[in-house]
Amino acid sequence: MTQLDSIFSHVDQNSADYVRRLGEAVAIKSVSGDAHHRPEVVKMANYIISWMDKLGVSHTSHDPGFQELDGSQVKLPPIILGTYGTDPAKKTVLVYGHYDVQPALKSDGWTSDPFTLVEDEQGRLFGRGSTDDKAPILSWLWVIEAHQKLGVDLPVNIKMCFEGMEESGSEGLDELIVQEAKGYFKGTDYVCISDNYWLGKTRPCLTYGLRGIAYYKLTIAGPAKDLHSGVFGGTVHEPMTDLFAIMSKLVAPDGKILVPGIYDQVRPLTDKERGTYNGIDFALPDYEGAVGGKVVIQDNEHEVLMSRWRYPSLSLHGIEGAFYSAGAKTVIPAKVTGKFSIRLVPDMDPAEVHRLVSTFIASEHAKLNSKTVCTVEPLHGARAWLADPEGPSYAAASKAVQRVFGVKPDLTREGGSIPVTLTFQENLGVSVLLLPMGAADDGAHSINEKIDKKNYIEGIKLLATYLHEVASA
Ligand SMILES: NCC(=O)N[C@@H](Cc1c[nH]cn1)C(=O)O
Ligand SMILES: [Zn+2]
Ligand SMILES: [Zn+2]
């Protein structure tokens, strides 16, 4: 039996424990976007630290300071830097992940409590953060534990960087990476991140590109207080009317962004790039399954992939300050804030995007001839990331996929954003690889987020095998 064979059977034998521990982590409501949950985010950091202590991973916690959230100063959760092994004869792999999660309420439409991990008869593990990103970050720890339990030498040194603000703009992380590039992060040979998803449900993939993001708050303020629409309706400029008018000018129903100049910065499509879409294992019906309805704009697979990976998109997310409860309250909201974001692609620059967006919104507001006050505030911005999927780390990951799953992985890009990928690539000057565990239908950020038990357990084996392959690369 090889070392990896014994690790695989150890992982299989301990699968119930891994699921139970994922349940402990999911029960911690580490929602970074809500100030009320900040103590839970810190509790999740402590949960990880307690495992690091048990496993002999040395660690330091970095305090990024405070952020302004909902009008008050809120302390940011720690960035945890861990070190396991410092053997100069071994390669060093830096793994990154995040322990915060998106918000979730049962009333959003979850079939079970979002913070109680529930396994169904198909082996799906439902719970907020199950796939994004709690199972992946815990898996790195289980890989270390498996080696220790079996007395197998881990063939690489591992550095770990786990943050608690990824879902809310990664506050303070870039600064720490720049500051520690020649300190803590020195000696990193490769970066590996498990925080995205396969393209479908069966074939694993290696991911070499992500879109960036520019997130906005658009506020329209009018009267000093909410008004009775029977008493004042028809006599005042209404913030909600103006907000709807402006937000409807940002994007067309066919997904085209209407902000003038926004497509000028997009890198042109070459024949070489077009060729990379051939042979990717991706089917429209499966995608519609993940979407949960027949509402896909494009009518062929390549166009869907290009629209997700290499063209920008603009999504309207919500409105703060608007009446949304049951009943028929006849209110004129005094001040409303629309939230929207633009996913950025190579070569879009967040500063230039901000200039175009704020100029356009100011001119659209001026056209309304309204006495309301309109302000646009960028919340966070990050450029797109694109790597060269060649070299020892990608080759090692490809071999690992073939060893664990018996198939060659697809090479993919993705439409989401993990801003730290570019920061690592530019500041550490090493290859960055995304090695996902979850499947396309996991529903990250959505209701009923899940990870399939099979993906979790085989994912632990995948990360272990990747480390062994990297060591011999
Ligand atoms: N798993 C990565 C992920 O979900 N990233 C978020 C990052 C983000 C940016 N602003 C709010 N969240 C994403 O939406 O892509
Ligand atoms: Zn994530
Ligand atoms: Zn996420």
Side-chain angles (χ1 to χ4, degrees), residues 16-85:
D17 264 350
Y18 300 138
V19 171
R20 185 181 48 72
R21 296 169 188 174
L22 180 60
E24 290 172 355
V26 164
I28 304 173
K29 299 177 182 169
S30 52
V31 179
S32 56
D34 179 346
H36 295 109
H37 283 107
R38 195 53 57 86
E40 292 277 303
V41 185
V42 174
K43 187 173 170 192
M44 186 62 209
N46 290 332
Y47 181 81
I48 293 167
I49 287 169
S50 71
W51 272 107
M52 287 180 161
D53 286 336
K54 274 183 220 155
L55 297 172
V57 177
S58 62
H59 56 84
T60 50
S61 289
H62 294 258
D63 174 6
F66 289 80
Q67 70 167 152
E68 201 195 299
L69 190 60
D70 306 331
S72 50
Q73 290 293 313
V74 184
K75 195 161 163 43
L76 289 161
I79 298 165
I80 307 167
L81 299 181
T83 303
Y84 189 75

Side-chain angles (χ1 to χ4, degrees), residues 283-353:
L284 214 43
D286 292 345
Y287 190 59
E288 283 172 339
V291 167
K294 289 187 176 292
V295 288
V296 177
I297 295 172
Q298 297 76 19
D299 45 31
N300 73 65
E301 277 81 2
H302 285 194
E303 278 178 24
V304 170
L305 291 180
M306 287 189 200
S307 301
R308 290 170 69 191
W309 296 354
R310 64 118 39 241
Y311 290 116
S313 60
L314 190 154
S315 301
L316 308 177
H317 303 301
I319 297 176
E320 243 178 78
F323 166 60
Y324 65 90
S325 313
K329 188 177 177 189
T330 51
V331 67
I332 298 173
K335 182 172 139 183
V336 280
T337 299
K339 307 260 181 84
F340 67 94
S341 70
I342 304 178
R343 295 289 173 168
L344 310 181
V345 296
D347 300 307
M348 294 172 87
D349 169 36
E352 174 61 4
V353 168

Side-chain angles (χ1 to χ4, degrees), residues 132 166-167 195 197 213 343 380 416-418 445:
D132 182 15
E166 195 273 347
E167 301 291 11
D195 184 21
Y197 316 97
I213 189 164
R343 295 289 173 168
H380 51 263
S417 313
I418 309 173
H445 294 208

Side-chain angles (χ1 to χ4, degrees), residues 257-278:
I257 304 175
L258 302 175
V259 178
I262 209 88
Y263 291 100
D264 293 354
Q265 306 174 64
V266 175
R267 188 176 294 181
L269 177 66
T270 59
D271 286 342
K272 186 173 175 225
E273 188 195 321
R274 198 187 293 279
T276 62
Y277 292 87
N278 294 329

Side-chain angles (χ1 to χ4, degrees), residues 414-430:
E414 193 164 300
S417 313
I418 309 173
V420 74
T421 45
L422 192 62
T423 316
F424 281 138
Q425 190 168 290
E426 289 181 343
N427 289 278
L428 308 188
V430 298

